[in-house]
Amino acid sequence: DAGITQSPRHKVTETGTPVTLRCHQTENHRYMYWYRQDPGHGLRLIHYSYGVKDTDKGEVSDGYSVSRSKTEDFLLTLESATSSQTSVYFCAISETIREQFFGPGTRLTVL
Amino acid sequence: GIQVEQSPPDLILQEGANSTLRCNFSDSVNNLQWFHQNPWGQLINLFYIPSGTKQNGRLSATTVATERYSLLYISSSQTTDSGVYFCAVGPLTGANNLFFGTGTRLTVIP
């Protein structure tokens, strides 16, 4: 299995609070991604990174920001959490624009 | 983005039965992956198969890129095969994104 960890694995927070999710990889892969999974939608891309300090938006990026200061870490920040951001968040990595491998996920509940 | 349709949405099998899951996509792709999401939520890579045929034990997959579909075959199903199977595709150009279908939920009963 690809070495990907996500923290925290579960989080409950209140509307309006900032939240940061962390993805850490030990594979030295160039690309990293954040997806969210919601019922009836499969997984959808939020943001991705193609190198240190190089990031771009995905299809559902509103309300989220990301940072990548080291190859191994990719952070997803919800500046002011809303109930619509209650979801399961998955991080993924890939060495090339080919096969992606997913982390274990973070379940976020915004009350 | 690319539209991905999976069928059937739900499937119930008796242990030992065979099944075929289908994935149709709306545009040319350079990436196609099949995943199994187990009951604990983990996404497990089954196949990376933008074209051709691959086999791994009781599972096999075929992608016909020119006709924009892929098939996942599960033979001699086991209860541990239960879960949701996702097809995901990546576009030829633009962002290195995977577009997911909504999955096929498989339940294997003993």
Side-chain angles (χ1 to χ4, degrees):
Chain A
D1 290 343
I4 312 169
T5 56
Q6 293 184 229
S7 59
R9 294 293 313 281
H10 299 88
K11 186 171 182 64
V12 179
T13 191
E14 294 187 350
T15 297
T17 61
V19 176
T20 296
L21 308 183
R22 179 180 182 239
C23 177
H24 179 77
Q25 59 145 331
T26 59
E27 305 295 321
N28 201 36
H29 282 359
R30 176 182 176 187
Y31 296 90
M32 298 186 75
Y33 315 81
W34 278 107
Y35 291 85
R36 62 178 287 174
Q37 183 176 26
D38 304 293
H41 287 280
L43 278 77
R44 293 176 293 174
L45 183 69
I46 304 171
H47 281 280
Y48 70 101
S49 170
Y50 48 96
V52 174
K53 297 186 180 179
D54 292 324
T55 65
D56 207 346
K57 296 179 179 180
E59 61 179 313
V60 290
S61 60
D62 286 349
Y64 302 95
S65 62
V66 291
S67 65
R68 191 171 178 197
S69 59
K70 299 185 291 185
T71 299
E72 58 266 34
D73 289 326
F74 193 32
L75 304 180
L76 177 71
T77 297
L78 292 65
E79 300 290 347
S80 178
T82 68
S83 58
S84 64
Q85 293 175 312
T86 292
S87 188
V88 181
Y89 291 85
F90 285 94
C91 173
I93 65 173
S94 66
E95 176 57 25
T96 65
I97 51 169
R98 291 179 182 265
E99 191 172 10
Q100 295 184 21
F101 297 89
F102 284 77
T106 294
R107 183 172 297 275
L108 176 67
T109 301
V110 183
L111 301 177
Chain B
I2 300 177
Q3 304 303 309
V4 182
E5 295 183 357
Q6 292 187 242
S7 60
D10 294 280
L11 186 59
I12 300 174
L13 296 177
Q14 199 79 37
E15 197 169 26
N18 304 327
S19 61
T20 300
L21 282 59
R22 187 176 179 101
C23 172
N24 292 332
F25 44 96
S26 62
D27 205 347
S28 300
V29 300
N30 67 2
N31 184 358
L32 191 145
Q33 293 183 242
W34 283 98
F35 297 91
H36 174 215
Q37 188 167 39
N38 63 24
W40 296 271
Q42 180 75 37
L43 280 165
I44 300 165
N45 289 43
L46 297 178
F47 294 102
Y48 168 73
I49 187 166
S51 64
T53 297
K54 291 186 178 180
Q55 181 160 5
N56 184 4
R58 296 182 295 104
L59 274 60
S60 63
T62 295
T63 297
V64 183
T66 54
E67 298 187 20
R68 299 180 184 171
Y69 73 90
S70 183
L71 302 174
L72 178 69
Y73 306 95
I74 304 174
S75 64
S76 304
S77 59
Q78 302 175 358
T79 55
T80 52
D81 294 332
S82 296
V84 182
Y85 289 79
F86 288 103
C87 170
V89 302
L92 282 180
T93 59
N96 182 25
N97 186 11
L98 282 181
F99 291 93
F100 280 74
T102 53
T104 292
R105 181 174 298 277
L106 174 65
T107 302
V108 181
I109 54 178

